[in-house]
Amino acid sequence: MTLTATEKQRYARHLSLPEIGATGQSRLKNAKVLVIGAGGLGSPCTLYLAAAGVGRLGLVDHDVVDLSNLQRQVLFANEDVSLSKTSAATKRLSALNPDIEVVAHEIKLTAENILDALRDYDVVVDGTDRVATRYLINDACVILGKPLVSAAIHRFEGQAITYVPGRSACYRCSFPNAKDSHVPNCADAGVLGVLPGVMGAIQATEAIKLVTGIGELLAGRLLTYDALTMRFAEFTVARRTDCAVCGENPTILTPEDATPTSRTTAAQRSLISHATPRQLNLRLVAARESSTPILLVDVRESHEYGKGSLPESINVPIGELQARTAELANKLTEAARGRTSRPDVVFICRSGGRSLQACELAVSAGLTAVPINLDGGLLAWSRDVDHEFVVAAV
Ligand SMILES: [Zn+2]
């Protein structure tokens, strides 16, 4: 595919680089890159890939823009708040470069749909913030033989690694024993806004190198970045012959939804029930009018709880939950006295991550058989149920 006159002008600074030149720029124009997650990492990554002239740029996300995203997700403007991320992103990226095709995939990736979502792309970039999804994407890329650029951010630290099929270690080789439930997401742990800017730009660089075939990839090397000390470090990661997905005798032959090494068993996880804010609201109204009680346990830190909480909720910070199981069990027995059914236990936090851990703890501790997680947490509650509700910062 040859470049038009406008494209020659637009990409003049690439064309001047002998390593890229007209050949490299045409490769970019013919390339199909999929970025998963229109968040902190996906924002700079898609902006730079669009600017660089990647011919088909796919973007997967199923969320809407939240005001708290704007601190780092530079794809979005204030006016985009509560709009779909993929549609706001498509508008922004097409405005930046009308010569490329931006494809929005407004889906939640699952074991069932991931192979189809990835199949048509040459390079996959993982900008998600959930460890379980990261393993799902890794496994799908290994199975399909697609190169993958992974990155992750946490507070002030970032890490990145590139997987080249058949050549380098995959994400699972690097982290065979990750425990999803121990890694809080951005909303729970906080993140320096500019950090994903650095890591997302590194991902875009790797994607461009994969497409154009230039330079030395971040393959078999885990790069870490510490914003506080302003230090980069790297660790060699060898392929594991016993890797469950890319090893000699793989046991993962088709994508799986959950990490097999997660702390709770699949049987325990299946016992966790989920409620959206609207469902919980209906349930609370019903609880007030009927004899079926409900116990709301807010597992945020006490300073967060103090700044605004649901009226019926009690505060047990996640770190104290294990030690206070007996206290909660007593409350449940008390509430059940004279009634036919035991109360439902609903765990609540800011964005739904800590409360999910609490659900797992509650099952392990035998507190309740079927804990309920408020999905999306109080942020979703204030968005969907009570617009006046103020959610304290972490
Ligand atoms: Zn592997």
Side-chain angles (χ1 to χ4, degrees):
M1 229 189 281
T2 51
L3 301 172
T4 64
T6 322
E7 287 172 334
K8 282 181 184 156
Q9 207 180 342
R10 178 184 287 270
Y11 306 121
R13 299 296 182 280
H14 269 172
L15 299 175
S16 318
L17 290 169
E19 291 83 354
I20 296 184
T23 311
Q25 195 60 52
S26 296
R27 284 184 182 156
L28 286 166
K29 186 175 176 175
N30 290 325
K32 291 173 276 183
V33 177
L34 182 69
V35 177
I36 304 173
L41 293 164
S43 285
C45 188
T46 51
L47 282 166
Y48 276 111
L49 292 178
V54 167
R56 183 184 291 174
L57 185 54
L59 185 57
V60 177
D61 208 294
H62 65 284
D63 221 341
V64 294
V65 181
D66 186 87
L67 185 58
S68 68
N69 296 155
L70 301 187
Q71 166 253 20
R72 65 198 175 283
Q73 302 183 10
V74 293
L75 251 181
F76 308 114
N78 206 52
E79 65 195 28
D80 296 328
V81 169
S82 37
L83 296 182
S84 129
K85 281 191 165 185
T86 47
S87 57
T90 306
K91 202 170 137 214
R92 172 81 174 89
L93 297 167
S94 305
L96 170 61
N97 190 346
D99 292 336
I100 62 162
E101 185 193 356
V102 181
V103 185
H105 301 269
E106 194 156 3
I107 50 167
K108 183 183 192 325
L109 285 181
T110 64
E112 284 72 44
N113 65 18
I114 190 162
L115 293 181
D116 284 338
L118 267 55
R119 209 180 298 276
D120 290 336
Y121 290 90
D122 309 316
V123 174
V124 178
V125 176
D126 179 0
T128 58
D129 63 356
R130 286 204 61 229
V131 175
T133 315
R134 198 165 296 142
Y135 281 89
L136 181 68
I137 295 167
N138 175 73
D139 295 350
C141 284
V142 173
I143 289 163
L144 291 170
K146 306 273 180 195
L148 167 68
V149 186
S150 287
I153 49 171
H154 181 69
R155 292 165 51 81
F156 297 95
E157 288 166 47
Q159 52 174 238
I161 190 165
T162 298
Y163 162 72
V164 183
R167 259 183 51 198
S168 68
C170 80
Y171 190 81
R172 202 179 274 283
C173 289
S174 327
F175 301 100
N177 298 311
K179 288 182 172 63
D180 186 24
S181 51
H182 283 174
V183 183
N185 62 22
C186 266
D188 289 336
V191 64
L192 182 70
V194 68
L195 172 70
V198 175
M199 302 314 295
I202 287 173
Q203 288 183 289
T205 312
E206 287 292 287
I208 290 169
K209 283 158 61 189
L210 276 162
V211 169
T212 54
I214 64 170
E216 190 190 334
L217 291 164
L218 193 54
R221 297 185 287 145
L222 178 74
L223 181 75
T224 62
Y225 166 62
D226 183 339
L228 284 181
T229 57
M230 199 46 79
R231 283 197 176 96
F232 284 91
E234 75 173 62
F235 304 89
T236 304
V237 183
R239 283 182 74 181
R240 296 175 61 108
T241 50
D242 63 344
C243 175
V245 67
C246 82
E248 281 166 6
N249 298 299
T251 51
I252 300 171
L253 303 169
T254 173
E256 292 171 9
D257 265 325
T259 50
T261 45
S262 183
R263 197 158 42 88
T264 46
T265 64
Q268 282 177 332
R269 265 198 306 280
S270 72
L271 292 175
I272 296 170
S273 177
H274 298 264
T276 65
R278 289 200 185 95
Q279 288 167 337
L280 177 62
N281 193 34
L282 291 173
R283 182 71 190 72
L284 285 171
V285 172
R288 279 182 216 117
E289 291 167 357
S290 75
S291 58
T292 314
I294 191 164
L295 182 66
L296 297 179
V297 186
D298 189 326
V299 296
R300 293 176 300 160
E301 296 306 310
S302 53
H303 70 269
E304 299 175 71
Y305 181 81
K307 286 184 187 134
S309 61
L310 297 186
E312 297 93 345
S313 67
I314 59 165
N315 185 215
V316 182
I318 182 86
E320 298 173 18
L321 190 59
Q322 200 109 41
R324 292 173 63 182
T325 308
E327 179 194 330
L328 285 174
N330 284 341
K331 273 198 196 317
L332 284 175
T333 315
E334 223 169 88
R337 193 160 297 147
R339 300 177 200 266
T340 48
S341 56
R342 273 175 78 81
D344 282 335
V345 187
V346 182
F347 288 99
I348 297 167
C349 73
R350 189 165 188 271
S351 68
R354 280 174 288 181
S355 55
L356 192 60
Q357 288 181 40
C359 287
E360 295 186 355
L361 279 170
V363 173
S364 310
L367 179 66
T368 171
V370 190
I372 300 169
N373 186 49
L374 175 62
D375 285 351
L378 291 165
L379 285 173
W381 177 271
S382 84
R383 187 187 66 212
D384 298 340
V385 173
D386 180 1
H387 298 289
E388 313 274 279
F389 188 89
V390 178
V391 188
V394 177

